[in-house]
Amino acid sequence: MTQETLGEVQTGKIPLKGRTLKELSDIMSSLGEKPFRAKQIYHGLYVNRYESWEQFTTFSKALKEKLEELCSLTRLHVAKHLKSVDGTQKFTFSSEPNNGKEFEAVWIPSGDGGRKTICISSQVGCTLNCKFCATAKLEFQGNLKAHEIVDQILQVERIVGDRATNVVFMGMGEPFHNYFNVIRAASILHDPDALNLGAKKITISTSGVVNGIRRFIENKEPYNFAISLNHPDPNGRKEIMDIEEKFALPELIQAAKDFTRELNRRITFEYVMIPGVNMGQENANKLVKIARSMDCKINVIPLNTEFFGWRRPTRNEVEEFIALLEPAGVPILNRRSPGKDIFGACGMLASKS
């Protein structure tokens, strides 16, 4: 068993959600059970979506009682559930009721009913201070464990009564500051014997944690990858994203180039548009230069928060900025901002509930 598992045995029940099949096998062996029980539990949790030992009808009464005593099928508590006029739903979760540590996930259906995305969190609060993001105003309270990440999807799907077509790690927190739990959770989402989401249906986003990007490349992770860029100039980026102080833009762009070259895959740049801060001809020219240097696409996102007196760009300003980016010759998507009325849009999580 892992040191983490040993600690849980000593302090209480062992949570089984968020475990790989190999880890479940080790846990079952440590409890004196046959390893095949692990596959039954794994299938029950992620395919049948069981939430109590009583639902495992192939288990004997004695085995159910033993597992009830030693192991837990932990389930997140829903602290708040808000519904938008556009169909978006925001969920505020906590691992324990009334512990003060809350994190959020958002269900985002497309207008045509085809694409159904869940935006999930990787941390309680955030370790970074991006000035356009409400989560940055919160105190950082810790990383989420793999089972807390995976269970966001399970609980959202249970409540809405539908299955997601896409999952994005773009909620609260910096995923690459919780790298191993995020990758473990993503592997369970991707596993055909678990949630069975295609790797291209899972997107992990970073604000620019270069050592995490390097690890992602080295491990040849199959998931879609996005970088929250938001400014094409190092000095300008430093003004709105403190991560620039640790990982400078040239270093980040080189890592992005290496990603596209070594993995032969396109990268996504996310760009929150802030009038008077990162738009206009000069910034567009610099962003075009970056985009031309690698296989990428650009998602532009109108600002949703109003910190520092900033305002959301008008439709004309957005269209003009997109036109300035067209010489890059890469796909440019104007990402809509669903769920604004429930503070569920990009950059708004935890601003109000």
Side-chain angles (χ1 to χ4, degrees):
M1 287 192 295
T2 65
Q3 190 63 41
E4 178 186 8
T5 304
L6 285 170
E8 287 160 346
V9 170
Q10 294 166 359
T11 58
K13 294 184 179 182
I14 308 169
L16 299 187
K17 280 184 182 176
R19 304 289 187 185
T20 64
L21 186 56
K22 173 64 167 61
E23 289 170 332
L24 285 177
S25 296
D26 291 344
I27 292 171
M28 289 300 105
S29 296
S30 74
L31 298 178
E33 296 295 331
K34 298 292 185 182
F36 76 87
R37 294 295 185 194
K39 192 163 188 178
Q40 292 178 314
I41 293 171
Y42 197 71
H43 188 273
L45 287 174
Y46 301 121
V47 178
N48 296 331
R49 309 293 179 99
Y50 292 159
E51 294 192 325
S52 74
W53 291 115
E54 281 304 311
Q55 293 175 289
F56 287 81
T57 55
T58 59
F59 289 3
S60 67
K61 181 180 179 182
L63 178 57
K64 290 178 187 177
E65 289 176 350
K66 178 180 181 179
L67 294 174
E68 178 68 41
E69 179 184 356
L70 298 175
C71 304
S72 67
L73 306 179
T74 50
R75 175 170 147 180
L76 296 176
H77 300 270
V78 181
K80 302 180 186 71
H81 177 198
L82 301 176
K83 297 181 180 181
S84 168
V85 294
D86 61 25
T88 302
Q89 299 184 48
K90 184 170 79 166
F91 299 82
T92 304
F93 293 113
S94 64
S95 294
E96 299 293 338
N98 304 316
N99 71 353
K101 295 184 178 181
E102 296 184 341
F103 47 95
E104 297 181 335
V106 185
W107 169 265
I108 311 168
S110 64
D112 59 10
R115 184 183 176 102
K116 291 165 281 191
T117 301
I118 301 179
C119 176
I120 59 175
S121 296
S122 56
Q123 296 181 311
V124 183
C126 189
T127 46
L128 301 176
N129 184 27
C130 300
K131 292 187 176 180
F132 49 82
C133 181
T135 308
K137 311 304 174 188
L138 300 177
E139 177 187 357
F140 174 65
Q141 298 185 66
N143 289 328
L144 294 179
K145 294 181 179 179
H147 72 87
E148 295 170 314
I149 297 172
V150 172
D151 206 34
Q152 291 176 63
I153 291 97
L154 297 179
Q155 296 309 320
V156 168
E157 291 184 340
R158 177 183 64 83
I159 293 170
V160 303
D162 203 351
R163 297 292 173 91
T165 61
N166 298 75
V167 170
V168 296
F169 287 77
M170 298 181 183
M172 296 169 62
E174 165 51 59
F176 277 4
H177 281 170
N178 189 15
Y179 186 91
F180 294 106
N181 281 313
V182 164
I183 295 299
R184 179 187 289 187
S187 71
I188 293 172
L189 302 184
H190 179 42
D191 189 343
D193 292 324
L195 274 71
N196 194 28
L197 272 178
K200 292 184 178 180
K201 302 295 184 180
I202 301 168
T203 301
I204 300 175
S205 176
T206 179
S207 296
V209 181
V210 172
N211 54 1
I213 299 173
R214 294 291 179 195
R215 184 180 292 123
F216 194 92
I217 297 170
E218 182 180 351
N219 294 339
K220 294 181 170 56
E221 299 295 351
Y223 316 110
N224 280 347
F225 183 61
I227 292 176
S228 186
L229 187 64
N230 305 313
H231 208 294
D233 177 79
N235 292 327
R237 194 168 191 263
K238 186 176 180 180
E239 289 296 316
I240 61 174
M241 300 180 71
D242 64 346
I243 194 171
E244 179 68 22
E245 297 177 5
K246 185 171 184 180
F247 298 110
L249 185 59
E251 183 183 6
L252 174 61
I253 297 305
Q254 185 58 55
K257 290 178 182 179
D258 293 344
F259 173 92
T260 61
R261 185 183 67 253
E262 294 183 28
L263 300 185
N264 194 28
R265 282 155 50 196
R266 173 178 286 171
I267 201 166
T268 298
F269 286 117
E270 297 164 317
Y271 199 92
V272 175
M273 295 176 290
I274 311 171
V277 176
N278 64 356
M279 299 176 73
Q281 184 72 63
E282 183 179 356
N283 288 319
N285 290 344
K286 292 179 180 179
L287 184 53
V288 165
K289 184 177 180 180
I290 291 172
R292 282 176 170 171
S293 69
M294 70 191 83
D295 184 12
C296 70
K297 68 176 180 178
I298 302 172
N299 284 352
V300 292
I301 309 162
L303 178 72
N304 289 311
T305 55
E306 297 179 349
F307 305 127
F308 308 105
W310 293 340
R311 63 173 177 83
R312 183 180 175 86
T314 65
R315 179 177 297 182
N316 284 342
E317 286 173 326
V318 170
E319 291 175 353
E320 288 172 4
F321 187 64
I322 291 175
L324 292 174
L325 298 181
E326 287 178 356
V330 303
I332 302 169
L333 175 66
N334 180 8
R335 215 167 82 190
R336 63 194 184 97
S337 298
K340 283 190 66 182
D341 57 323
I342 57 170
F343 299 92
C346 181
M348 301 182 78
L349 294 195
S351 57
K352 290 184 181 180
S353 293

